[in-house]
Amino acid sequence: MAMLGFYGGTFDPIHQGHLQSALYVQQYCQLDRLELIPCHIPPHRAHPGVSSEHRAAMVRLAIAPYPQLALNVIELEKNSPSYTVETLELLRAKYPNDTLLFVIGMDSLTQFHSWFRYRDILKLCHLLVCQRPGYQPDSIETKALLAEHQLQAVSDLRSKTHGGIVILPNPMLDVSATAIRKSLQQSTNSNADALQIDAVAAYILEHQLYQV
Ligand code: ATP
């Protein structure tokens, strides 16, 4: 039974918070592979200003040095909102017997109870949660979710194909795509600049993304 990780996001743009989380999770959880899935049309937020093709190209550049990471364009091939549950249904049909692990940040866990058909997501995969500065699993909804699904160790996930949540002891990086977009628009020399990925920063410059 393979351990297959999937990391969804807007990646608008991909930054060190995403990349370091992906590398950490793949190694810490001994995943057979980890695929990054840029969303095409996010259902829960404004449409990204930068096209799906550019966002996927930036993911491809960022992960190029790391053969353990791959780009998955499954959501780009559909012309409808990218609901995670539907993506996972397609992945489960493709990998009926493997353990599927969906990677999210702590901010996403705190909103997870509002995701479309979130209970079905946990019938399709496990959740691996990366901690993120400023976010705690302390709301009533998140505590209830964890009471039902949390497991303490990644090894506990291996015996089941879905339904567990593990909060990982990852090193935290204080960066967001919002902060990076803001610093690019304002041409400031903020902390967010340092947390960009060099090849991605060059791509942004070349294509004049996020300038206005
Ligand atoms: P934005 O600021 O535009 O909301 P973002 O930086 O949160 O973007 P997304 O593409 O929306 O990035 O996030 C994709 C996934 O990566 C989410 O599950 C999010 O929780 C996680 N993530 C993003 N940044 C970090 C970080 N610094 N540490 C841990 N997880 C992160």
Side-chain angles (χ1 to χ4, degrees):
M1 211 161 62
M3 295 272 281
L4 306 178
F6 299 94
Y7 189 6
T10 317
F11 303 121
D12 186 26
I14 186 168
H15 52 66
Q16 290 289 359
H18 300 126
L19 184 58
Q20 297 310 321
S21 301
L23 291 169
Y24 172 87
V25 170
Q26 189 277 328
Q27 197 190 32
Y28 184 83
C29 303
Q30 293 289 294
L31 302 181
D32 292 285
R33 64 172 190 274
L34 177 55
E35 298 183 353
L36 282 76
I37 308 181
C39 73
H40 180 33
I41 305 170
H44 291 297
R45 54 187 283 168
H47 202 289
V50 163
S51 72
S52 313
E53 289 70 25
H54 277 315
R55 290 182 289 107
M58 291 188 277
V59 170
R60 192 179 282 111
L61 282 171
I63 64 175
Y66 309 104
Q68 65 273 45
L69 304 180
L71 170 69
N72 182 322
V73 293
I74 188 169
E75 293 192 351
L76 274 50
E77 288 160 354
K78 287 193 345 183
N79 218 3
S80 53
S82 308
Y83 287 106
T84 298
V85 66
E86 293 174 359
T87 301
L88 285 162
E89 281 170 342
L90 293 173
L91 292 169
R92 177 51 79 200
K94 192 170 171 189
Y95 305 109
N97 302 316
D98 294 313
T99 299
L100 306 187
L101 304 107
F102 193 72
V103 180
I104 58 175
M106 184 61 87
D107 56 311
S108 299
L109 182 71
T110 64
Q111 298 303 316
F112 187 74
H113 60 274
S114 67
W115 287 22
F116 181 52
R117 293 174 51 206
Y118 74 96
R119 291 204 169 275
D120 290 338
I121 294 178
L122 283 160
K123 292 178 189 152
L124 294 159
C125 67
H126 297 303
L127 292 183
L128 293 172
V129 183
C130 285
Q131 303 199 53
R132 192 172 179 181
Y135 296 94
Q136 296 293 334
D138 49 14
S139 72
I140 292 171
E141 293 88 349
T142 309
K143 280 183 177 162
L145 187 73
L146 289 174
E148 206 177 324
H149 293 277
Q150 187 173 17
L151 298 171
Q152 291 310 318
V154 174
S155 53
D156 298 336
L157 299 175
R158 288 194 172 262
S159 55
K160 300 165 70 187
T161 55
H162 63 273
I165 301 178
V166 171
I167 298 178
L168 300 170
N170 58 296
M172 288 196 262
L173 263 185
D174 193 6
V175 58
S176 69
T178 304
I180 287 179
R181 289 195 300 273
K182 206 166 154 194
S183 85
L184 286 165
Q185 278 157 9
Q186 298 172 347
S187 304
T188 52
N189 208 5
S190 73
N191 181 40
D193 289 336
L195 291 163
Q196 286 190 61
I197 298 159
D198 288 349
V200 174
Y203 184 95
I204 289 172
L205 199 64
E206 184 190 343
H207 295 274
Q208 303 199 324
L209 307 180
Y210 307 108
Q211 307 298 306
V212 282

PDB file of all heavy atoms in Angstrom, residues 60-81:
ATOM      1  N   ARG A  60       5.951  24.395 -10.955  1.00  0.00           N
ATOM      2  CA  ARG A  60       6.890  23.511 -11.659  1.00  0.00           C
ATOM      3  C   ARG A  60       8.334  23.964 -11.437  1.00  0.00           C
ATOM      4  O   ARG A  60       9.220  23.164 -11.158  1.00  0.00           O
ATOM      5  CB  ARG A  60       6.556  23.486 -13.153  1.00  0.00           C
ATOM      6  CG  ARG A  60       7.272  22.383 -13.911  1.00  0.00           C
ATOM      7  CD  ARG A  60       6.926  22.343 -15.391  1.00  0.00           C
ATOM      8  NE  ARG A  60       5.638  21.739 -15.673  1.00  0.00           N
ATOM      9  CZ  ARG A  60       4.561  22.389 -16.129  1.00  0.00           C
ATOM     10  NH1 ARG A  60       4.629  23.691 -16.360  1.00  0.00           N
ATOM     11  NH2 ARG A  60       3.451  21.758 -16.378  1.00  0.00           N
ATOM     12  N   LEU A  61       8.562  25.276 -11.531  1.00  0.00           N
ATOM     13  CA  LEU A  61       9.924  25.811 -11.335  1.00  0.00           C
ATOM     14  C   LEU A  61      10.408  25.586  -9.908  1.00  0.00           C
ATOM     15  O   LEU A  61      11.551  25.203  -9.680  1.00  0.00           O
ATOM     16  CB  LEU A  61       9.933  27.319 -11.613  1.00  0.00           C
ATOM     17  CG  LEU A  61       9.944  27.750 -13.070  1.00  0.00           C
ATOM     18  CD1 LEU A  61       9.734  29.263 -13.164  1.00  0.00           C
ATOM     19  CD2 LEU A  61      11.257  27.344 -13.733  1.00  0.00           C
ATOM     20  N   ALA A  62       9.512  25.823  -8.953  1.00  0.00           N
ATOM     21  CA  ALA A  62       9.904  25.725  -7.540  1.00  0.00           C
ATOM     22  C   ALA A  62      10.305  24.311  -7.147  1.00  0.00           C
ATOM     23  O   ALA A  62      11.229  24.107  -6.360  1.00  0.00           O
ATOM     24  CB  ALA A  62       8.751  26.200  -6.652  1.00  0.00           C
ATOM     25  N   ILE A  63       9.615  23.316  -7.719  1.00  0.00           N
ATOM     26  CA  ILE A  63       9.882  21.931  -7.294  1.00  0.00           C
ATOM     27  C   ILE A  63      10.900  21.236  -8.191  1.00  0.00           C
ATOM     28  O   ILE A  63      11.303  20.108  -7.886  1.00  0.00           O
ATOM     29  CB  ILE A  63       8.579  21.087  -7.225  1.00  0.00           C
ATOM     30  CG1 ILE A  63       7.938  20.934  -8.610  1.00  0.00           C
ATOM     31  CG2 ILE A  63       7.600  21.691  -6.233  1.00  0.00           C
ATOM     32  CD1 ILE A  63       6.720  20.012  -8.623  1.00  0.00           C
ATOM     33  N   ALA A  64      11.334  21.903  -9.253  1.00  0.00           N
ATOM     34  CA  ALA A  64      12.250  21.261 -10.224  1.00  0.00           C
ATOM     35  C   ALA A  64      13.469  20.596  -9.567  1.00  0.00           C
ATOM     36  O   ALA A  64      13.857  19.504  -9.976  1.00  0.00           O
ATOM     37  CB  ALA A  64      12.670  22.268 -11.289  1.00  0.00           C
ATOM     38  N   PRO A  65      14.086  21.208  -8.546  1.00  0.00           N
ATOM     39  CA  PRO A  65      15.264  20.554  -7.955  1.00  0.00           C
ATOM     40  C   PRO A  65      14.930  19.330  -7.095  1.00  0.00           C
ATOM     41  O   PRO A  65      15.853  18.668  -6.608  1.00  0.00           O
ATOM     42  CB  PRO A  65      15.881  21.647  -7.067  1.00  0.00           C
ATOM     43  CG  PRO A  65      15.197  22.921  -7.423  1.00  0.00           C
ATOM     44  CD  PRO A  65      13.857  22.529  -7.972  1.00  0.00           C
ATOM     45  N   TYR A  66      13.665  19.042  -6.878  1.00  0.00           N
ATOM     46  CA  TYR A  66      13.292  18.013  -5.893  1.00  0.00           C
ATOM     47  C   TYR A  66      12.484  16.886  -6.538  1.00  0.00           C
ATOM     48  O   TYR A  66      11.257  17.005  -6.697  1.00  0.00           O
ATOM     49  CB  TYR A  66      12.476  18.653  -4.756  1.00  0.00           C
ATOM     50  CG  TYR A  66      13.161  19.859  -4.168  1.00  0.00           C
ATOM     51  CD1 TYR A  66      12.722  21.148  -4.476  1.00  0.00           C
ATOM     52  CD2 TYR A  66      14.278  19.713  -3.345  1.00  0.00           C
ATOM     53  CE1 TYR A  66      13.373  22.262  -3.962  1.00  0.00           C
ATOM     54  CE2 TYR A  66      14.936  20.815  -2.840  1.00  0.00           C
ATOM     55  CZ  TYR A  66      14.475  22.082  -3.152  1.00  0.00           C
ATOM     56  OH  TYR A  66      15.129  23.174  -2.652  1.00  0.00           O
ATOM     57  N   PRO A  67      13.135  15.781  -6.903  1.00  0.00           N
ATOM     58  CA  PRO A  67      12.428  14.702  -7.596  1.00  0.00           C
ATOM     59  C   PRO A  67      11.331  14.047  -6.756  1.00  0.00           C
ATOM     60  O   PRO A  67      10.446  13.379  -7.300  1.00  0.00           O
ATOM     61  CB  PRO A  67      13.535  13.690  -7.935  1.00  0.00           C
ATOM     62  CG  PRO A  67      14.728  14.108  -7.152  1.00  0.00           C
ATOM     63  CD  PRO A  67      14.568  15.526  -6.750  1.00  0.00           C
ATOM     64  N   GLN A  68      11.376  14.243  -5.444  1.00  0.00           N
ATOM     65  CA  GLN A  68      10.334  13.648  -4.578  1.00  0.00           C
ATOM     66  C   GLN A  68       9.016  14.421  -4.655  1.00  0.00           C
ATOM     67  O   GLN A  68       8.003  13.985  -4.128  1.00  0.00           O
ATOM     68  CB  GLN A  68      10.826  13.542  -3.122  1.00  0.00           C
ATOM     69  CG  GLN A  68      11.098  14.845  -2.406  1.00  0.00           C
ATOM     70  CD  GLN A  68      12.498  15.398  -2.610  1.00  0.00           C
ATOM     71  OE1 GLN A  68      13.009  15.423  -3.730  1.00  0.00           O
ATOM     72  NE2 GLN A  68      13.120  15.873  -1.537  1.00  0.00           N
ATOM     73  N   LEU A  69       9.022  15.596  -5.298  1.00  0.00           N
ATOM     74  CA  LEU A  69       7.812  16.407  -5.442  1.00  0.00           C
ATOM     75  C   LEU A  69       7.398  16.435  -6.912  1.00  0.00           C
ATOM     76  O   LEU A  69       8.246  16.420  -7.799  1.00  0.00           O
ATOM     77  CB  LEU A  69       8.060  17.846  -4.971  1.00  0.00           C
ATOM     78  CG  LEU A  69       8.581  18.023  -3.534  1.00  0.00           C
ATOM     79  CD1 LEU A  69       8.766  19.511  -3.224  1.00  0.00           C
ATOM     80  CD2 LEU A  69       7.643  17.376  -2.516  1.00  0.00           C
ATOM     81  N   ALA A  70       6.071  16.500  -7.162  1.00  0.00           N
ATOM     82  CA  ALA A  70       5.590  16.548  -8.550  1.00  0.00           C
ATOM     83  C   ALA A  70       4.418  17.514  -8.643  1.00  0.00           C
ATOM     84  O   ALA A  70       3.741  17.803  -7.650  1.00  0.00           O
ATOM     85  CB  ALA A  70       5.162  15.151  -8.994  1.00  0.00           C
ATOM     86  N   LEU A  71       4.191  18.006  -9.853  1.00  0.00           N
ATOM     87  CA  LEU A  71       3.040  18.866 -10.129  1.00  0.00           C
ATOM     88  C   LEU A  71       1.905  17.985 -10.641  1.00  0.00           C
ATOM     89  O   LEU A  71       2.127  17.119 -11.483  1.00  0.00           O
ATOM     90  CB  LEU A  71       3.428  19.896 -11.204  1.00  0.00           C
ATOM     91  CG  LEU A  71       2.301  20.738 -11.795  1.00  0.00           C
ATOM     92  CD1 LEU A  71       1.751  21.718 -10.754  1.00  0.00           C
ATOM     93  CD2 LEU A  71       2.816  21.520 -13.012  1.00  0.00           C
ATOM     94  N   ASN A  72       0.704  18.215 -10.125  1.00  0.00           N
ATOM     95  CA  ASN A  72      -0.478  17.486 -10.601  1.00  0.00           C
ATOM     96  C   ASN A  72      -1.484  18.527 -11.112  1.00  0.00           C
ATOM     97  O   ASN A  72      -1.901  19.400 -10.356  1.00  0.00           O
ATOM     98  CB  ASN A  72      -1.072  16.665  -9.446  1.00  0.00           C
ATOM     99  CG  ASN A  72      -2.270  15.837  -9.874  1.00  0.00           C
ATOM    100  OD1 ASN A  72      -3.073  16.281 -10.682  1.00  0.00           O
ATOM    101  ND2 ASN A  72      -2.396  14.638  -9.321  1.00  0.00           N
ATOM    102  N   VAL A  73      -1.841  18.414 -12.401  1.00  0.00           N
ATOM    103  CA  VAL A  73      -2.697  19.455 -13.014  1.00  0.00           C
ATOM    104  C   VAL A  73      -4.162  19.020 -13.094  1.00  0.00           C
ATOM    105  O   VAL A  73      -4.927  19.585 -13.858  1.00  0.00           O
ATOM    106  CB  VAL A  73      -2.167  19.857 -14.412  1.00  0.00           C
ATOM    107  CG1 VAL A  73      -0.819  20.558 -14.300  1.00  0.00           C
ATOM    108  CG2 VAL A  73      -2.083  18.665 -15.347  1.00  0.00           C
ATOM    109  N   ILE A  74      -4.545  18.079 -12.258  1.00  0.00           N
ATOM    110  CA  ILE A  74      -5.908  17.518 -12.300  1.00  0.00           C
ATOM    111  C   ILE A  74      -6.996  18.611 -12.231  1.00  0.00           C
ATOM    112  O   ILE A  74      -8.014  18.520 -12.918  1.00  0.00           O
ATOM    113  CB  ILE A  74      -6.060  16.486 -11.157  1.00  0.00           C
ATOM    114  CG1 ILE A  74      -7.365  15.727 -11.234  1.00  0.00           C
ATOM    115  CG2 ILE A  74      -5.913  17.104  -9.796  1.00  0.00           C
ATOM    116  CD1 ILE A  74      -7.417  14.515 -10.278  1.00  0.00           C
ATOM    117  N   GLU A  75      -6.767  19.649 -11.418  1.00  0.00           N
ATOM    118  CA  GLU A  75      -7.811  20.682 -11.267  1.00  0.00           C
ATOM    119  C   GLU A  75      -7.794  21.665 -12.443  1.00  0.00           C
ATOM    120  O   GLU A  75      -8.806  22.288 -12.740  1.00  0.00           O
ATOM    121  CB  GLU A  75      -7.651  21.410  -9.929  1.00  0.00           C
ATOM    122  CG  GLU A  75      -7.932  20.480  -8.754  1.00  0.00           C
ATOM    123  CD  GLU A  75      -8.074  21.178  -7.402  1.00  0.00           C
ATOM    124  OE1 GLU A  75      -7.788  22.382  -7.299  1.00  0.00           O
ATOM    125  OE2 GLU A  75      -8.459  20.484  -6.439  1.00  0.00           O
ATOM    126  N   LEU A  76      -6.647  21.778 -13.100  1.00  0.00           N
ATOM    127  CA  LEU A  76      -6.551  22.696 -14.241  1.00  0.00           C
ATOM    128  C   LEU A  76      -7.279  22.138 -15.455  1.00  0.00           C
ATOM    129  O   LEU A  76      -7.609  22.876 -16.389  1.00  0.00           O
ATOM    130  CB  LEU A  76      -5.086  22.953 -14.597  1.00  0.00           C
ATOM    131  CG  LEU A  76      -4.383  24.073 -13.826  1.00  0.00           C
ATOM    132  CD1 LEU A  76      -4.544  23.967 -12.342  1.00  0.00           C
ATOM    133  CD2 LEU A  76      -2.920  24.142 -14.192  1.00  0.00           C
ATOM    134  N   GLU A  77      -7.512  20.839 -15.447  1.00  0.00           N
ATOM    135  CA  GLU A  77      -8.152  20.202 -16.596  1.00  0.00           C
ATOM    136  C   GLU A  77      -9.676  20.320 -16.546  1.00  0.00           C
ATOM    137  O   GLU A  77     -10.362  19.936 -17.480  1.00  0.00           O
ATOM    138  CB  GLU A  77      -7.732  18.723 -16.674  1.00  0.00           C
ATOM    139  CG  GLU A  77      -6.268  18.596 -17.115  1.00  0.00           C
ATOM    140  CD  GLU A  77      -5.645  17.256 -16.764  1.00  0.00           C
ATOM    141  OE1 GLU A  77      -6.297  16.445 -16.074  1.00  0.00           O
ATOM    142  OE2 GLU A  77      -4.491  17.046 -17.178  1.00  0.00           O
ATOM    143  N   LYS A  78     -10.206  20.848 -15.421  1.00  0.00           N
ATOM    144  CA  LYS A  78     -11.668  20.988 -15.289  1.00  0.00           C
ATOM    145  C   LYS A  78     -12.030  22.461 -15.358  1.00  0.00           C
ATOM    146  O   LYS A  78     -11.329  23.291 -14.781  1.00  0.00           O
ATOM    147  CB  LYS A  78     -12.122  20.482 -13.907  1.00  0.00           C
ATOM    148  CG  LYS A  78     -12.091  18.999 -13.774  1.00  0.00           C
ATOM    149  CD  LYS A  78     -12.828  18.481 -12.550  1.00  0.00           C
ATOM    150  CE  LYS A  78     -13.190  19.454 -11.473  1.00  0.00           C
ATOM    151  NZ  LYS A  78     -13.832  18.901 -10.303  1.00  0.00           N
ATOM    152  N   ASN A  79     -13.164  22.771 -15.994  1.00  0.00           N
ATOM    153  CA  ASN A  79     -13.524  24.187 -16.082  1.00  0.00           C
ATOM    154  C   ASN A  79     -14.615  24.566 -15.081  1.00  0.00           C
ATOM    155  O   ASN A  79     -15.543  25.291 -15.412  1.00  0.00           O
ATOM    156  CB  ASN A  79     -13.934  24.531 -17.512  1.00  0.00           C
ATOM    157  CG  ASN A  79     -13.424  25.922 -17.876  1.00  0.00           C
ATOM    158  OD1 ASN A  79     -12.741  26.548 -17.060  1.00  0.00           O
ATOM    159  ND2 ASN A  79     -13.769  26.404 -19.042  1.00  0.00           N
ATOM    160  N   SER A  80     -14.493  24.038 -13.868  1.00  0.00           N
ATOM    161  CA  SER A  80     -15.484  24.318 -12.832  1.00  0.00           C
ATOM    162  C   SER A  80     -14.730  24.556 -11.524  1.00  0.00           C
ATOM    163  O   SER A  80     -13.537  24.249 -11.437  1.00  0.00           O
ATOM    164  CB  SER A  80     -16.432  23.121 -12.707  1.00  0.00           C
ATOM    165  OG  SER A  80     -15.690  21.952 -12.520  1.00  0.00           O
ATOM    166  N   PRO A  81     -15.400  25.098 -10.494  1.00  0.00           N
ATOM    167  CA  PRO A  81     -14.699  25.346  -9.235  1.00  0.00           C
ATOM    168  C   PRO A  81     -14.003  24.091  -8.712  1.00  0.00           C
ATOM    169  O   PRO A  81     -14.514  22.976  -8.852  1.00  0.00           O
ATOM    170  CB  PRO A  81     -15.825  25.790  -8.284  1.00  0.00           C
ATOM    171  CG  PRO A  81     -16.867  26.341  -9.177  1.00  0.00           C
ATOM    172  CD  PRO A  81     -16.792  25.537 -10.449  1.00  0.00           C
TER     173      PRO A  81
END
